[in-house]
Amino acid sequence: MENMRENFLWGGATAANQCEGGWKEGNRGLGTVDVIPWGENRFPVMRGDMDYRQLSEDSYYPSRDAIDMYSHYKEDIALFAEMGFKCYRFSFSWSRIFPTGEEEKPNEEGLKFYEDFIDELLKYGIEPVVTICHFDVPLALVEKYGSWKNRKVIDCFMRYCDAIFRRFRDKVTYWITFNEINMLLHLPFMGAGILFSEGEDEKQVKYQAAHNELVASAMATGLAHRINPDFKVGCMLAAGNFYPYSCNPEDVWEGLKKDRDNYFFIDVQARGEYPAYARKMFEREGIKLETGPEDYEILKENTVDFISFSYYSSRCASTSEEVVLKSTSGNVMKSIKNPYLKASEWGWQIDPLGLRITLNTLYDRYQKPLFIVENGLGAVDKVEEDGSIIDDYRISYLEEHIKAMMEAVDEDGVDLLGYTPWGCIDLISASTGEMKKRYGFIYVDKDNEGKGSLKRSRKKSFKWYKHVIETNGAALK
Ligand code: BG6
């Protein structure tokens, strides 16, 4: 086998809303993530079925303080550097830079915070990979315009992009416009700040918001390239193929349709136009998009430089009612249980070969460089009496996935820029709001109720991953 490319971007990934905290620091405004509670109301709020303004005063909002990376970032980055990270993927909090989304000028304190943060990464030679929007919208834009339902938000997003592209023109190369853009179909409030009002046609609203985000993403890509032609701008999807549950052609067709729901976004961002199957679906379902005169040209002229994605699991599709009833719980995107796979404690099915299949499918489909920007195992960790954490289950999950990834590169010729496992430091779970569901190489002492010293410590996987990086993956061959 050949080796991985020399400048392969090994690293880790997090998002502001799940680790930064400091929700009231530095003139930051409120974001959607600050009003998503922990507990039984979490999913209704994330789906946009329950208005966050109906929540009781004593609700607990885990993202507000998270793991307080706002104050601990120097210590955290030093630990990433110790592991040998070549890159670090993180996101900016939009409302830290534009507190209401509509200020004339960006909030200098917010920009300065990210500048110091980025300088700290660069000090260790760690390449920043910035997600512009990872599940957060300034709350004021939700209240005033209904968030991405309204084209007005495109202008607000562009003002935000203009400010950050100019400020970090010489410090950041890799940008990702929207995290898991397809999440807006599944969890519309969490994914895009969308709240449904009574009688609203949900599908119409979702695809209108999707169109607005797609145009914003293309405009941002164009702007980025004008500000610095060396910028690399990517799109991002929650990936994982749907396997037909059986070889019944009905199941194969069902899987293909479900895959298209997710590829739809990337088809537009990578190829620059709405795919035929989507146009037909809009016609069939009576979906009418409100568009600007230049939207289609903008989409056409500003396709992405790379395609990034998260991969945790594959899924199964079937048309048989009996089979569908066997759906696993715990997944945001529900999947039928695959009898050939084991699952995590949260019901996420573990399928390393599925990563190779996903890499090949995406590369065949788009022929653009790929970037795995999330992968990992959410698990409960036990702190031993001497303080150590022996997370062999995490090591084995990552080892199998990294091997599958290297096979896709070495044997199938997939062009892959990097690999950033999710939650390289323990953080708040996006779906459940828990701390107990941990992904990190670095343990953070905090529990589901928000109690703990926030002390950071190295798990067994810390040393293991360091070795993988220093051998450029060869340690696993
Ligand atoms: C992806 C998101 O959906 O999966 C992350 O981009 C998220 O924000 C990750 O944390 C893992 O999901 P969870 O629900 O285990 O946190």
Side-chain angles (χ1 to χ4, degrees), residues 57-227:
E57 296 265 305
D58 55 358
S59 302
Y60 168 52
Y61 301 97
S63 282
R64 291 183 176 184
D65 297 311
I67 59 159
D68 192 19
M69 197 182 255
Y70 189 78
S71 325
H72 290 75
Y73 74 90
K74 289 195 178 162
E75 179 189 350
D76 296 342
I77 291 173
L79 287 165
F80 300 154
E82 190 183 324
M83 269 188 282
F85 277 20
K86 310 281 183 224
C87 78
Y88 172 52
R89 172 186 179 230
F90 63 106
S91 73
F92 289 169
S93 153
W94 185 351
S95 59
R96 193 176 285 295
I97 299 177
F98 283 93
T100 67
E102 286 197 294
E103 287 77 5
E104 277 298 310
K105 287 202 176 126
N107 170 28
E108 178 53 31
E109 273 191 80
L111 283 176
K112 180 74 174 76
F113 168 70
Y114 291 118
E115 182 152 53
D116 293 346
F117 194 103
I118 289 169
D119 285 345
E120 196 66 18
L121 289 169
L122 297 176
K123 182 174 113 186
Y124 295 103
I126 300 175
E127 180 84 50
V129 178
V130 177
T131 313
I132 301 170
C133 189
H134 191 125
F135 299 156
D136 65 338
V137 179
L139 204 60
L141 296 181
V142 174
E143 296 181 352
K144 198 162 165 193
Y145 301 116
S147 186
W148 286 103
K149 283 182 192 180
N150 192 323
R151 287 183 70 85
K152 179 83 184 108
V153 174
I154 302 178
D155 301 336
C156 305
F157 183 74
M158 291 315 293
R159 195 175 309 172
Y160 166 43
C161 288
D162 188 74
I164 57 178
F165 292 159
R166 287 184 199 284
R167 180 65 165 249
F168 303 114
R169 191 186 172 280
D170 301 316
K171 298 190 178 193
V172 174
T173 300
Y174 293 94
W175 300 92
I176 295 170
T177 53
F178 293 96
N179 180 66
E180 293 188 340
I181 188 164
N182 49 328
M183 194 55 78
L184 90 79
L185 298 181
H186 309 282
L187 295 174
F189 186 75
M190 182 175 89
I194 292 166
L195 268 173
F196 295 107
S197 18
E198 244 186 81
E200 221 170 14
D201 176 343
E202 295 199 1
K203 207 159 181 184
Q204 165 72 37
V205 169
K206 284 183 192 174
Y207 279 99
Q208 182 63 57
H211 178 77
N212 295 342
E213 282 199 13
L214 288 168
V215 171
S217 177
M219 285 173 70
T221 306
L223 178 69
H225 290 147
R226 285 194 297 281
I227 291 179

Side-chain angles (χ1 to χ4, degrees), residues 15 17-18 89 134-135 179-180 183 190 236 238 310 312 332 348 374 378 422 427-433 437 439:
N17 76 80
Q18 290 163 265
R89 172 186 179 230
H134 191 125
F135 299 156
N179 180 66
E180 293 188 340
M183 194 55 78
M190 182 175 89
M236 199 279 193
S310 60
Y312 294 92
V332 170
W348 295 27
E374 289 186 30
W422 177 248
L427 38 63
I428 305 289
S429 155
S431 56
T432 65
K437 189 180 187 191
Y439 288 86

Side-chain angles (χ1 to χ4, degrees), residues 127-352:
E127 180 84 50
V129 178
V130 177
T131 313
I132 301 170
C133 189
H134 191 125
F135 299 156
D136 65 338
V137 179
L139 204 60
L141 296 181
V142 174
E143 296 181 352
K144 198 162 165 193
Y145 301 116
S147 186
W148 286 103
K149 283 182 192 180
N150 192 323
R151 287 183 70 85
K152 179 83 184 108
V153 174
I154 302 178
D155 301 336
C156 305
F157 183 74
M158 291 315 293
R159 195 175 309 172
Y160 166 43
C161 288
D162 188 74
I164 57 178
F165 292 159
R166 287 184 199 284
R167 180 65 165 249
F168 303 114
R169 191 186 172 280
D170 301 316
K171 298 190 178 193
V172 174
T173 300
Y174 293 94
W175 300 92
I176 295 170
T177 53
F178 293 96
N179 180 66
E180 293 188 340
I181 188 164
N182 49 328
M183 194 55 78
L184 90 79
L185 298 181
H186 309 282
L187 295 174
F189 186 75
M190 182 175 89
I194 292 166
L195 268 173
F196 295 107
S197 18
E198 244 186 81
E200 221 170 14
D201 176 343
E202 295 199 1
K203 207 159 181 184
Q204 165 72 37
V205 169
K206 284 183 192 174
Y207 279 99
Q208 182 63 57
H211 178 77
N212 295 342
E213 282 199 13
L214 288 168
V215 171
S217 177
M219 285 173 70
T221 306
L223 178 69
H225 290 147
R226 285 194 297 281
I227 291 179
N228 182 347
D230 293 332
F231 276 172
K232 304 270 177 255
V233 187
C235 55
M236 199 279 193
L237 85 151
N241 287 41
F242 275 93
Y243 302 153
Y245 191 76
S246 74
C247 54
N248 180 341
E250 296 290 340
D251 285 358
V252 178
W253 180 234
E254 186 64 17
L256 187 142
K257 284 196 292 187
K258 285 191 180 296
D259 272 341
R260 278 179 170 175
D261 286 346
N262 295 317
Y263 293 143
F264 157 72
F265 295 86
I266 311 305
D267 284 352
V268 179
Q269 290 171 297
R271 296 165 167 166
E273 58 190 20
Y274 275 82
Y277 66 82
R279 284 188 269 116
K280 287 286 176 192
M281 186 268 283
F282 291 167
E283 255 173 59
R284 226 173 19 247
E285 310 234 355
I287 294 173
K288 293 208 168 54
L289 298 182
E290 181 204 338
T291 57
E294 289 167 4
D295 284 7
Y296 293 109
E297 227 172 289
I298 292 170
L299 294 175
K300 188 83 210 162
E301 283 170 8
N302 300 290
T303 54
V304 288
D305 301 310
F306 65 91
I307 288 149
S308 71
F309 65 95
S310 60
Y311 175 85
Y312 294 92
S313 187
S314 56
R315 301 155 191 140
C316 289
S318 169
T319 48
S320 143
E321 243 180 64
E322 201 194 320
V323 172
V324 172
L325 285 175
K326 295 187 203 154
S327 280
T328 57
S329 60
N331 280 324
V332 170
M333 297 178 214
K334 282 219 180 328
S335 167
I336 294 161
K337 276 187 192 138
N338 183 330
Y340 298 97
L341 301 177
K342 292 204 176 99
S344 78
E345 288 160 278
W346 275 266
W348 295 27
Q349 304 184 93
I350 302 173
D351 180 12

